[in-house]
Amino acid sequence: MKTGGKAATLADVAELAGVSQQTVSRVVNNQGPVAARTRLRVMEAVGQLNYVPNRLAQGLARQRSQSIGFATNDISLHAPSQLTSAIEGAAREAGFSLIVSIVPGYGLGGVTQAVRALKERQVDGVLINASLSRADAAEVARRFADVPCVFMDVPPGSAVNAALLDQYHGAALAARHLVELGHTRIACVHAPQDAVAEHSRMQGWRDVLAEHGLTLVAGQEGDWSPASGYRAAVALLASGLSFTGLLVGNDQMAVGVLRALWERGLSVPGDVSVIGYDDTAESALLIPPLTTVRQDFPTLGRRAFGHLGALLDGQEEPHTTLTRPELVVRASTAPPRVGERLRLQEALHLLQRHLGEGSGEG
């Protein structure tokens, strides 16, 4: 029996537990039936010898590297960081290591570069969290047909293997919440619409408003960051158009929106109800706490990894799973109470326009 020096082996565990090496293998890999008493004896031997399974040797035996790749956008952003954590945990539990490759820029070129880098590391499969059109996703799958890929940010219905969040459903929840509170003048701060997620969110907002005979009174584009949310809100307020509800494409932009409203003396939700998207850790701590749409990134990450595992085990038909977000109602939304400031703002805008027209006549 091994007592020191080199690391303990499978044979050492089998000897100490008084079982075959095959039995030890079934226990440590959680494969096949093993009697409870025998399993306990093996695990006690594993603990006593501090045995660590040789995943590299196991991978070679299966002609695998026991590693998977994750091609993703900037992990300093909320969604990619949450997904990275969830996928790494699921991979570790399954005996895989995770290799992350940041996608430079957007679109087909950046994703191709990131996946190629992962393929050079001999990963067994790749998860891709980058916005791609149906055509571009199909092209990536074609270019890397020898590596199982699961896409995480493509339009529903794409002919690729995908694990997605139902962005349309989440956005519809947000818009319906404002409408049911009684808001009829609703504006938005959206992210770039070439992003698949944001395009779906915009469509969800518009469709719900259309169901009630409404349209967005105004919109401004941000880039997902708090600073861009601030600039977008300033531009909306400068337009002179009144609104009592504001849909925001993510919580980080909503932070900037709240700042801009506060600087201009507008209360939330007294003058404007604000609703975000993502439910970041900070959302509940803002003043006021932010109503938002919670995306279950941990569940999505685990489902995506499970989907990839199924592909590695021989499932090859294109398949998509959808994870639905949920609405989290907090204090930043309430029934509309068109405040004096907004009424004065609109009146001032009309007066300025009238004076301008009068000046032209003179």
Side-chain angles (χ1 to χ4, degrees):
M1 183 181 69
K2 194 76 67 176
T3 57
K6 293 183 179 180
T9 66
L10 194 77
D12 298 327
V13 176
E15 180 183 351
L16 180 59
V19 298
S20 68
Q21 293 186 41
Q22 290 81 359
T23 298
V24 175
S25 179
R26 285 198 295 270
V27 172
V28 298
N29 291 298
N30 198 27
Q31 295 177 340
V34 178
R37 188 170 298 177
T38 302
R39 182 180 297 276
L40 178 60
R41 195 160 69 246
V42 170
M43 293 310 297
E44 287 175 346
V46 166
Q48 185 174 334
L49 295 174
N50 195 27
Y51 170 68
V52 178
N54 189 337
R55 298 298 185 191
L56 177 59
Q58 293 171 358
L60 291 173
R62 302 172 186 167
Q63 295 186 329
R64 291 183 182 176
S65 67
Q66 292 300 111
S67 64
I68 64 165
F70 184 39
T72 182
N73 296 321
D74 185 358
I75 57 174
S76 68
L77 297 173
H78 176 71
S81 67
Q82 293 288 302
L83 288 172
T84 301
S85 177
I87 292 168
E88 195 281 330
R92 185 176 62 252
E93 290 174 5
F96 284 79
S97 59
L98 181 68
I99 301 174
V100 177
S101 180
I102 304 300
V103 176
Y106 296 91
L108 179 60
V111 172
T112 298
Q113 184 176 335
V115 175
R116 184 177 291 121
L118 291 168
K119 186 178 176 182
E120 290 172 356
R121 300 287 296 273
Q122 303 296 313
V123 296
D124 296 324
V126 179
L127 299 171
I128 302 172
N129 178 48
S131 186
L132 291 169
S133 67
R134 288 184 176 89
D136 285 349
E139 177 62 17
V140 170
R142 186 194 66 80
R143 292 182 184 182
F144 301 100
D146 57 335
V147 180
C149 294
V150 173
F151 296 80
M152 304 178 70
D153 192 6
V154 296
S158 299
V160 295
N161 292 286
L164 308 174
L165 288 162
D166 193 339
Q167 304 289 355
Y168 180 93
H169 176 75
L173 290 176
R176 189 167 292 112
H177 174 62
L178 289 182
V179 171
E180 290 177 349
L181 286 173
H183 294 273
T184 59
R185 299 189 61 79
I186 299 172
C188 75
V189 173
H190 59 84
Q193 293 187 65
D194 55 359
V196 169
E198 193 62 10
H199 179 78
S200 295
R201 293 176 193 177
M202 289 284 290
Q203 195 61 49
W205 292 342
R206 289 184 174 126
D207 285 355
V208 168
L209 293 182
E211 290 173 8
H212 295 82
L214 304 173
T215 60
L216 290 166
V217 299
Q220 285 289 327
E221 182 174 301
D223 61 12
W224 305 109
S225 70
S228 72
Y230 175 87
R231 292 190 297 269
V234 169
L236 283 174
L237 294 170
S239 73
L241 296 172
S242 67
F243 51 91
T244 63
L246 188 56
L247 294 158
V248 186
N250 73 340
D251 289 354
Q252 289 175 300
M253 289 194 296
V255 170
V257 166
L258 292 176
R259 172 75 184 210
L261 294 172
W262 174 79
E263 284 185 351
R264 282 146 186 81
L266 296 172
S267 69
V268 176
D271 293 314
V272 183
S273 284
V274 177
I275 182 166
Y277 205 106
D278 280 344
D279 193 28
T280 61
E282 298 82 10
S283 299
L285 303 177
L286 296 174
I287 301 176
L290 185 66
T291 295
T292 185
V293 176
R294 176 180 294 155
Q295 303 205 83
D296 192 347
F297 294 115
T299 293
L300 176 64
R302 290 191 297 270
R303 284 184 175 175
F305 177 79
H307 194 357
L308 184 61
L311 292 175
L312 292 173
D313 289 339
Q315 180 182 326
E316 297 179 356
E317 290 298 317
H319 177 63
T320 296
T321 61
L322 278 176
T323 300
R324 282 197 158 187
E326 61 179 313
L327 182 69
V328 180
V329 178
R330 299 194 179 104
S332 69
T333 52
R337 178 181 61 79
V338 180
E340 291 299 322
R341 295 184 184 90
L342 280 180
R343 287 205 297 271
L344 288 172
Q345 180 188 54
E346 187 171 37
L348 178 61
H349 175 70
L350 292 173
L351 177 62
Q352 288 172 336
R353 188 171 63 183
H354 175 73
L355 291 175
E357 291 172 352
S359 173
E361 293 173 356

